[in-house]
């Protein structure tokens, strides 16, 4: 299997990004693996200490590539995680499909990197993948603030409250 990785984001180091993108046959099903990595903790820590609540979202779509035509859509999946802070207790509450976990601010970067390592998106049966064909996985990643009051966000509609604006990762592979 040959892999090519392209990122449609601006060429700069984001404070939070996706790494370790790959496609695997996990017990007969197509699985897109990735890790969410914190490259710079300061923006996230400042946001959490100010009482911010965020949603970490990664949605993926699997396509069969076709020359001269639009790619054929095969499957999609999504990972979502909420991150809320308790500034007085100096804790962070992280919730995803695996449950709710409370993490202390001290050592938060290492704990979150461990929590978000080796995630996967199940994309359906491996039977949809044919030998000798080209495929594309498109991952859309963002970290969005969820607790901005309406009376602030509506008049300031031009202000982005996102910690990480939407970034698109494209992974092409041949099988």
């Amino acid at each position: 299997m040959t892999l090519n990785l392209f990122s449609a984001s601006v060429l700069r180091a984001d404070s939070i990004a996706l790494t370790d993108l790959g496609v695997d046959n996990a017990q007969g099903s197509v699985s897109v693996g990735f890790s969410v990595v914190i490259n710079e903790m300061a923006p996230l820590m400042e946001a959490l200490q100010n009482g911010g609540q965020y949603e970490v979202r990664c949605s993926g779509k699997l396509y069969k590539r076709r020359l001269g035509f639009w790619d054929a859509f095969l499957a999609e999946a999504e990972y979502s995680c909420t991150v809320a802070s308790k500034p007085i207790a100096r804790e962070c509450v992280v919730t995803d499909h695996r449950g709710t976990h409370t993490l202390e601010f001290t050592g938060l970067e290492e704990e979150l990197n461990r929590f978000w390592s080796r995630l996967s998106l199940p994309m359906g049966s491996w039977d949809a993948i044919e030998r000798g064909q080209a495929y594309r996985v498109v991952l859309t990643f963002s970290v969005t603030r969820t607790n901005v009051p309406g009376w602030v966000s509506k008049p300031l509609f031009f202000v982005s409250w996102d910690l990480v604006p939407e970034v698109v990762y494209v992974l092409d592979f041949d099988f």
Side-chain angles (χ1 to χ4, degrees):
M1 190 181 305
T2 57
L3 300 173
N4 296 318
L5 176 64
F6 303 98
S7 175
S9 66
V10 178
L11 294 176
R12 61 180 167 80
D14 287 321
S15 60
I16 302 174
L18 294 185
T19 62
D20 303 330
L21 296 176
V23 178
D24 189 21
N25 181 348
Q27 300 172 349
S29 122
V30 178
S31 178
V32 176
F34 62 95
S35 295
V36 177
V37 175
I38 300 172
N39 296 317
E40 186 181 342
M41 188 61 188
L44 177 60
M45 185 57 80
E46 181 181 341
L48 291 173
Q49 288 175 338
N50 290 332
Q53 294 178 3
Y54 291 87
E55 179 181 29
V56 176
R57 180 178 297 258
C58 183
S59 60
K61 294 183 180 182
L62 175 64
Y63 297 94
K64 180 177 179 181
R65 291 186 307 172
R66 298 187 294 190
L67 294 174
F69 297 100
W70 286 282
D71 295 336
F73 174 78
L74 297 176
E76 69 181 318
E78 183 173 280
Y79 171 77
S80 179
C81 176
T82 59
V83 180
S85 68
K86 297 180 181 178
I88 295 174
R90 300 192 44 76
E91 294 177 337
C92 176
V93 178
V94 182
T95 305
D96 70 358
H97 66 278
R98 299 172 287 176
T100 301
H101 304 277
T102 302
L103 309 172
E104 294 182 14
F105 279 173
T106 56
L108 184 61
E109 181 175 357
E110 294 82 22
E111 290 294 322
L112 284 174
N113 282 337
R114 188 175 308 116
F115 183 78
W116 286 328
S117 68
R118 299 185 181 136
L119 298 171
S120 65
L121 295 176
M123 294 285 198
S125 174
W126 189 261
D127 296 336
I129 305 296
E130 301 171 25
R131 284 205 179 275
Q133 298 295 315
Y135 296 91
R136 172 171 287 157
V137 174
V138 178
L139 294 174
T140 305
F141 174 72
S142 65
V143 181
T144 308
R145 185 162 183 173
T146 59
N147 67 337
V148 178
W151 64 271
V152 173
S153 64
K154 288 188 185 194
L156 299 175
F157 65 90
F158 51 88
V159 175
S160 174
W161 305 101
D162 300 342
L163 191 58
V164 177
E166 190 172 277
V167 179
V168 177
Y169 296 86
V170 176
L171 175 67
D172 289 334
F173 68 98
D174 299 322
F175 179 68

